[in-house]
Amino acid sequence: MTEHYITLFNYNYLPQGLTMFFSLKKNYKDFVLWIVCMDKKVENFFLKKKFKEIRIIPLRNLENKPLIKVKKKRKFVEYCWTLTPFLPNYVFKRNKSLRKITYVDADIFFYKSPFKIIKEFKDSKKSIFLTEHGFHPNHDISDISGRFCVQYMIYKNDVHCEKILKWWQDKCLDWCHDYPDNGRLGDQKYLDE
């Protein structure tokens, strides 16, 4: 079965995004990688390259009025974090038969097949797979940054996931910044809830 992944990055992050793509390609043969192109240079790069596993999403196609409104008030990285909970819904709405999609940060590197993680998620019968930070006890800052890291998350295309994503989208539209504030930090501290 074809696995679907989604990520986002701009041209400055293209080396990391390509490294992630090729590491996934080396370790998992049957996949599609959806890339939200955060600028025209990334979009043009992938339009020229035409990798068979890659589907591009121009940022303008994803953005809506609420996102454009907060974009003006956020740093680039904060806006990327704000977009994260919107990505699965975007792909699901355009691919109704798609059963799940995995968000991956563009700077992840696959050393081996993610098959065991995919199987663990399938066996769990849950709607969302979260990844814990895994801080060393001497350096645990989860009280500030959150228990979970938005780096590798699997989303099932079901009503439970849709409800959670809507809640997370609303939270990130309301507040998503790169500094701790009142129990919040970026998009990920919300996941503690």
Side-chain angles (χ1 to χ4, degrees), residues 51-80:
F51 293 108
K52 72 178 180 78
E53 301 90 351
I54 291 180
R55 309 291 182 273
I56 62 167
I57 303 170
L59 178 59
R60 64 190 171 278
N61 292 2
L62 177 72
E63 290 180 314
N64 57 31
K65 287 181 184 179
L67 284 169
I68 292 169
K69 183 179 177 182
V70 300
K71 182 180 186 178
K72 298 171 187 172
K73 304 172 190 170
R74 303 216 173 139
K75 298 174 190 172
F76 178 76
V77 70
E78 294 171 339
Y79 189 58
C80 289

Side-chain angles (χ1 to χ4, degrees), residues 175 179-185:
W175 191 96
Y179 54 86
D181 175 72
N182 202 21
R184 303 177 292 192
L185 178 63

Side-chain angles (χ1 to χ4, degrees), residues 39 80 123 127 144 186:
D39 58 32
C80 289
D123 292 347
S127 295
I144 296 168

Side-chain angles (χ1 to χ4, degrees), residues 147-184:
R147 178 178 168 199
F148 302 101
C149 183
V150 180
Q151 64 181 354
Y152 187 99
M153 297 177 64
I154 307 173
Y155 305 93
K156 191 182 289 182
N157 190 2
D158 67 16
V159 293
H160 305 293
C161 182
E162 186 176 347
K163 183 179 177 182
I164 292 165
L165 284 171
K166 174 68 174 118
W167 171 86
W168 193 22
Q169 290 166 5
D170 291 343
K171 292 287 188 182
C172 286
L173 283 171
D174 180 52
W175 191 96
C176 188
H177 296 282
D178 63 356
Y179 54 86
D181 175 72
N182 202 21
R184 303 177 292 192

Side-chain angles (χ1 to χ4, degrees), residues 80-89 155 165 168-169 172 187:
C80 289
W81 295 342
T82 302
L83 291 173
T84 307
F86 290 87
L87 304 184
N89 283 129
Y155 305 93
L165 284 171
W168 193 22
Q169 290 166 5
C172 286
D187 58 346

Side-chain angles (χ1 to χ4, degrees), residues 7-9 13 16-17 19-20 104-110 151:
T7 192
L8 72 161
F9 53 88
Y13 233 66
Q16 291 91 330
T19 301
M20 180 269 293
V104 289
D105 276 348
D107 59 359
I108 283 193
F109 188 89
F110 292 88
Q151 64 181 354

